[in-house]
Amino acid sequence: MRAVVTGAAGFIGSTLTDLLLAEGHEVVGVDNFDDYYSGKMRFLSRHLENKDFKLMEVDILDLDALRQCFEDADVVFHLAAQAGVRISVKDPLRSHHANTTGTLNVLLAARDEGVKRVVSSSSSSVYGNAVRLPAREIDPAVPISPYAASKLAAEYYCTLFYKLYGLQSVSLRYFTVYGPRQRPDMAIRIFTDRALDGLRPQIFGDGEQTRDFTFITDVVRAIRRCADCPDPKGEPLNICSGSTVSVNQVVSSILKAVGREDLRPEYLPPQPGDVDHTWGDNSKARELLGWRPEVKIDEGLSRFVDWYRKEGRI
């Protein structure tokens, strides 16, 4: 299989690239190495001499360059994005350009180059404050942030390209993904970083908001299976653990793993755009992909803290 991974240097993209190359596939990695956060190249450096890996420094807003990247590809795993609810509240256009226009470009390039399937990245944030929990793919999507709106618009384009042009696609609604290599702006990494420095964790809100945390290795297994599963027909698919835990519980587990249970959280006002609860029903993914999550939250947090002590602070 010849696969293209957009956002190949990022948290999920680099971990997926590792898996694909380990399986013996050809991988074209696409990344623009923007300034949102630095140091991503180290996640790909060990592959640079691999004959099956080609790295292209390309922005997904450059349609002509994307077409060249997609030549002879069987599948495109689209992970390039402007992540983050809070930055989208400050700069909605940045999220729209990267997530909506960028995804449209990916679909156009894939259509024009005869790519069979696009596995696109969406987000559980499209549900907003979900009308019921756990959320199912048939439930209403009611975004409450520009980030969520940009992701939902990208989903609509995926469905449209399937219906209009027959381009097979699926939009994966990731719930809170965590683990080694996660971005510096993500809560688990921030909590861990502060604890290691002997600083109190800062929690926005009362900490009783809940999240469906999904470990990175479970997520990339699901993404990989989307290349071979039956035609997903341009529809969304929840990728989640199917269980939920409060932010207070997560902070407590991190402090225990770090050995700083003496630190007490500091509570700050809630942030605009943050939802109260996320919890997904993953039965559709189990059926379509033959997949199930394996890593429980305490084990996943322990793995992350161990990685962060050894490599994450470099």
Side-chain angles (χ1 to χ4, degrees):
M1 177 173 70
R2 182 176 174 86
V4 176
V5 179
T6 72
F11 169 34
I12 303 176
S14 65
T15 309
L16 176 64
T17 297
D18 289 351
L19 175 62
L20 292 169
L21 290 171
E23 290 181 349
H25 302 292
E26 293 181 58
V27 177
V28 176
V30 176
D31 207 293
N32 68 346
F33 296 96
D34 70 8
D35 58 3
Y36 185 55
Y37 68 101
S38 61
K40 293 183 290 184
M41 178 59 85
R42 66 190 174 108
F43 301 144
L44 296 178
S45 59
R46 68 192 182 96
H47 300 310
L48 295 178
E49 302 301 319
N50 187 334
K51 63 179 179 58
D52 291 326
F53 179 67
K54 183 178 182 180
L55 180 61
M56 307 283 285
E57 189 168 347
V58 166
D59 194 306
I60 58 171
L61 295 177
D62 186 339
L63 179 56
D64 289 336
L66 270 188
R67 289 192 179 104
Q68 295 178 35
C69 296
F70 290 6
E71 288 178 2
D72 302 318
D74 300 301
V75 60
V76 172
F77 297 100
H78 175 40
L79 290 143
Q82 175 53 64
V85 166
R86 291 167 193 166
I87 191 172
S88 79
V89 173
K90 295 178 181 177
D91 189 355
L93 271 177
R94 182 168 178 169
S95 294
H96 176 82
H97 290 321
N99 301 340
T100 306
T101 305
T103 299
L104 177 57
N105 279 348
V106 166
L107 294 167
L108 286 166
R111 181 202 64 180
D112 295 349
E113 293 301 322
V115 175
K116 180 181 179 182
R117 184 170 294 186
V118 173
V119 181
S120 189
S121 297
S122 188
S123 167
S124 64
S125 65
V126 302
Y127 292 113
N129 286 308
V131 296
R132 67 174 171 180
L133 296 170
R136 299 170 61 191
E137 292 87 352
I138 60 173
D139 290 339
V142 188
I144 63 171
S145 69
Y147 170 75
S150 71
K151 285 295 190 178
L152 185 59
E155 286 190 12
Y156 287 148
Y157 274 121
C158 288
T159 302
L160 185 65
F161 269 63
Y162 175 75
K163 292 179 177 179
L164 277 180
Y165 309 114
L167 175 59
Q168 293 183 16
S169 65
V170 60
S171 296
L172 302 184
R173 291 177 176 172
Y174 306 128
F175 285 63
T176 308
V177 186
Y178 73 104
R181 303 182 186 177
Q182 70 179 78
R183 302 191 315 273
D185 64 329
M186 297 180 75
I188 285 176
R189 181 160 171 172
I190 294 171
F191 293 148
T192 302
D193 197 50
R194 289 183 64 85
L196 288 170
D197 286 338
L199 301 173
R200 296 169 62 192
Q202 294 179 321
I203 297 175
F204 294 101
D206 63 6
E208 289 306 300
Q209 58 269 47
T210 57
R211 296 289 181 266
D212 188 326
F213 289 96
T214 321
F215 195 67
I216 182 63
T217 55
D218 286 332
V219 171
V220 297
R221 282 192 304 105
I223 298 170
R224 168 63 185 89
R225 292 193 182 195
C226 286
D228 304 320
C229 72
D231 183 0
K233 300 180 180 178
E235 297 179 354
L237 192 64
N238 288 342
I239 302 300
C240 55
S241 69
S243 60
T244 188
V245 62
S246 74
V247 175
N248 282 329
Q249 290 173 291
V250 167
V251 169
S252 178
S253 294
I254 290 172
L255 293 175
K256 183 177 181 180
V258 172
R260 290 304 310 262
E261 292 176 90
D262 58 305
L263 296 172
R264 293 290 176 263
E266 175 185 0
Y267 293 93
L268 304 174
Q271 291 286 291
D274 284 353
V275 301
D276 297 325
H277 306 285
T278 66
W279 181 15
D281 181 324
N282 60 22
S283 56
K284 185 177 176 182
R286 287 171 179 256
E287 180 179 353
L288 182 68
L289 306 180
W291 164 90
R292 66 179 56 231
E294 297 174 349
V295 181
K296 303 298 184 184
I297 185 67
D298 286 338
E299 178 188 351
L301 289 173
S302 178
R303 286 199 209 176
F304 171 73
V305 170
D306 184 58
W307 170 82
Y308 196 61
R309 285 182 187 275
K310 295 175 181 177
E311 300 181 48
R313 306 188 99 190
I314 297 174

